[in-house]
Amino acid sequence: MQLAKGVNLTLIPSKKFKTLSIKISFKSNLSLKKLTERSLLARILERNSRDYPSQVDLQKALAKLYGASFGTSVGRRGQVHSLYFNMRIVNEQFVQDPDLFEKALQFLKAVILRPNLGPEGFDRQTFEREKANLKDDLESIYDDKRLYAKLKLLDQFFTDPAQSSSLDGRLEDLDQLDNASLYQAYQGMLAQDEIDIVVLGDTNEEFLAKLFSDFKFQDRSRLDLDFYYHQDLPSFQRQEEVQDLIQAKLNLAYQTDVRYLDDQYFTLQVFNALFGGFPGSKLFLNVREKESLAYYASSNLDPFCGGLYVQAGIDQKEADRVIDLIKDQHQALIEGDFSQSSLNQAKAMLKNGLKQSEDSPAGLLNFSYLKQLLAKSITVEEWIEKINQVSAQDVKNLAQDIKLQSIFILRGADR
């Protein structure tokens, strides 16, 4: 249902849960500037509002809603940035309060549309406190060696820094961000962002449309861009950095030509499961367990950008040996060196994950959000059938097209 041009409302009717879950997403084209702006904005809007001028006031309001949960977050998928408002309340039929959902939406309206303001934009104390907190979080990335190494890998892998930077943004952009410009960014978000509203629970669409119409969102343009991120295949790079640490962090980036829900996407999922996506994968069994060359070793996908990433914690003296062994696991998949039993196990774990998502409000909301984002519809049952159809030959063929593009090693000084 469309509440206004560029403002979409979706109901996922379900009697499975005793709660009602609400997800409101503000979507815009990704840019380096927006990463920092909207990370800070999400934090400020989560802390207080004009109606609830302190965090204590906000928490008291949630307590009156029978312990409702509320939070904000940010996301990056392909070339789209999203700022999310998430809320979950108990279904009103279980607490004998027929106005509970309406009260919850009034709470959301207050925090989204009536922020706590001051002469410069947002309340100065809130702005300065949350800016300092974000600065602390960005500075702490250096101390999280696993995350730091992953970001360094992405920095050399991607040609667009908006793809490689932390989802929280960059310190240099935060230092230049003042209260007035952040408030201007907030106003632009309200007026221009495409909005997706998804509600999960036992209610009806007409009731929802009536209540959400009170938000008075105005018409806005739909996002006009290629949702998926593409880049020319970069030249191979290997970089190392020395810090004071004992366990080295090894990161590899592979380029695939596959994107989310492409015809080969389901084969890519199976490939990743066999390669390093689950316990029982080649990286886990051969690199970590059999050869004892890694404290951890796994792979994961970014199907919105075509990336496949390997992370391993290793003894730095064994870096070249581990890299060769990881390459061997990839080559084994190219040659079809995996059993039917392993293929079946990989498929089973993927299908179990999908089925578990149906038992999770967050999983169902995310699934629906991606449908809205991509304007593509697929059911869990159809997804499972596509996984079932993946053959060993499909995996072998796809494996040949996956190319190693970047290696980054964070290691300690030679002792």
Side-chain angles (χ1 to χ4, degrees):
M1 175 183 289
Q2 195 172 71
L3 299 179
K5 184 180 178 182
V7 182
N8 311 298
L9 171 64
T10 301
L11 168 65
I12 308 173
S14 174
K15 297 184 179 182
K16 183 181 294 187
F17 310 105
K18 294 182 179 180
T19 57
L20 286 169
S21 298
I22 308 160
K23 189 183 193 76
I24 302 177
S25 309
F26 286 79
K27 303 183 307 190
S28 67
N29 59 306
L30 176 68
S31 71
L32 192 56
K33 181 182 178 184
K34 283 178 183 174
L35 285 176
T36 311
E37 284 181 344
R38 298 200 172 193
S39 177
L40 181 55
L41 185 57
R43 291 164 180 251
I44 288 175
L45 296 176
E46 187 180 59
R47 288 295 174 262
N48 54 45
S49 72
R50 188 177 72 195
D51 299 58
Y52 316 112
S54 73
Q55 193 167 4
V56 172
D57 294 326
L58 191 142
Q59 292 300 322
K60 285 181 178 178
L62 290 171
K64 289 180 180 179
L65 296 173
Y66 300 91
S69 64
F70 164 74
T72 63
S73 59
V74 290
R76 169 178 53 198
R77 286 191 169 97
Q79 299 194 81
V80 175
H81 185 280
S82 300
L83 193 158
Y84 307 110
F85 296 87
N86 302 289
M87 191 170 189
R88 186 177 302 169
I89 61 169
V90 64
N91 192 311
E92 54 195 28
Q93 63 182 301
F94 294 106
V95 291
Q96 306 303 313
D97 185 345
D99 299 322
L100 180 58
F101 189 79
E102 184 173 358
K103 293 173 184 175
L105 290 195
Q106 288 302 317
F107 173 89
L108 280 174
K109 182 180 178 182
V111 296
I112 296 173
L113 302 180
R114 296 194 295 272
N116 191 10
L117 301 179
E120 301 169 344
F122 293 104
D123 171 67
R124 178 183 295 181
Q125 184 178 16
T126 303
F127 174 82
E128 295 295 343
R129 181 177 62 245
E130 293 308 318
K131 184 176 181 180
N133 289 340
L134 178 53
K135 183 177 182 179
D136 288 344
D137 287 346
L138 289 172
E139 289 176 338
S140 72
I141 290 174
Y142 182 82
D143 299 319
D144 184 342
K145 301 307 180 186
R146 190 167 177 174
L147 174 59
Y148 176 84
K150 176 68 177 292
L151 290 173
K152 293 291 285 188
L153 173 80
L154 297 181
D155 185 55
Q156 71 184 47
F157 177 66
F158 284 113
T159 57
D160 180 0
Q163 296 291 339
S164 59
S165 297
S166 164
L167 192 53
D168 281 333
R170 304 190 306 175
L171 278 168
E172 54 265 44
D173 295 328
L174 182 63
D175 289 340
Q176 298 175 12
L177 186 57
D178 61 34
N179 199 338
S181 60
L182 184 66
Y183 182 63
Q184 186 177 15
Y186 160 75
Q187 291 177 308
M189 182 189 81
L190 287 185
Q192 299 167 11
D193 275 24
E194 189 173 341
I195 301 173
D196 285 327
I197 303 167
V198 183
V199 178
L200 167 66
D202 186 13
T203 184
N204 67 81
E205 202 170 56
E206 285 186 16
F207 174 66
L208 293 178
K210 180 180 178 182
L211 293 181
F212 275 108
S213 65
D214 191 45
F215 282 63
K216 295 182 171 55
F217 289 128
Q218 300 300 307
D219 289 348
R220 71 268 328 278
S221 300
R222 291 186 60 86
L223 289 176
D224 183 20
L225 51 77
D226 181 2
F227 167 70
Y228 300 117
Y229 175 78
H230 298 271
Q231 66 179 21
D232 293 334
L233 205 62
S235 58
F236 175 80
Q237 298 183 68
R238 171 171 169 161
Q239 296 181 8
E240 296 188 11
E241 183 176 323
V242 177
Q243 292 185 15
D244 184 17
L245 74 165
I246 298 174
Q247 183 190 113
K249 312 299 179 186
L250 171 64
N251 288 259
L252 297 84
Y254 292 79
Q255 181 79 36
T256 81
D257 290 327
V258 181
R259 300 298 185 271
Y260 184 77
L261 296 189
D262 282 356
D263 290 340
Q264 287 191 302
Y265 174 63
F266 307 95
T267 303
L268 180 62
Q269 282 197 306
V270 176
F271 170 89
N272 182 60
L274 288 166
F275 185 46
F278 293 107
S281 66
K282 286 188 171 293
L283 292 182
F284 184 87
L285 291 178
N286 295 329
V287 180
R288 184 181 183 274
E289 296 293 302
K290 183 179 178 180
E291 298 294 336
S292 298
L293 287 174
Y295 303 100
Y296 60 86
S298 64
S299 64
N300 66 285
L301 298 172
D302 181 352
F304 308 99
C305 297
L308 185 152
Y309 311 115
V310 173
Q311 292 182 285
I314 63 172
D315 182 336
Q316 65 190 37
K317 297 191 297 294
E318 302 288 354
D320 289 331
R321 186 180 171 197
V322 175
I323 291 170
D324 287 341
L325 192 55
I326 291 172
K327 291 179 179 179
D328 289 345
Q329 309 316 303
H330 181 202
Q331 185 62 35
L333 291 170
I334 291 174
E335 296 173 359
D337 182 13
F338 54 91
S339 66
Q340 185 64 44
S341 175
S342 296
L343 181 64
N344 292 340
Q345 182 185 31
K347 290 182 179 183
M349 298 191 80
L350 289 167
K351 290 184 288 185
N352 287 339
L354 280 168
K355 291 174 182 177
Q356 288 173 8
S357 71
E358 289 192 295
D359 295 324
S360 161
L364 288 169
L365 288 170
N366 184 59
F367 200 64
S368 177
Y369 170 72
L370 289 174
K371 287 182 184 179
Q372 291 285 340
L373 194 61
L374 295 166
K376 293 182 179 180
S377 181
I378 183 172
T379 66
V380 170
E381 291 74 21
E382 290 169 338
W383 193 307
I384 288 174
E385 180 56 30
K386 287 183 178 294
I387 293 292
N388 285 333
Q389 292 173 1
V390 174
S391 68
Q393 189 62 47
D394 292 332
V395 175
K396 289 170 58 178
N397 292 342
L398 178 63
Q400 296 178 43
D401 296 329
I402 296 173
K403 307 300 182 184
L404 177 60
Q405 293 300 136
S406 298
I407 296 175
F408 179 80
I409 305 170
L410 181 63
R411 55 186 292 270
D414 293 331
R415 299 176 186 274

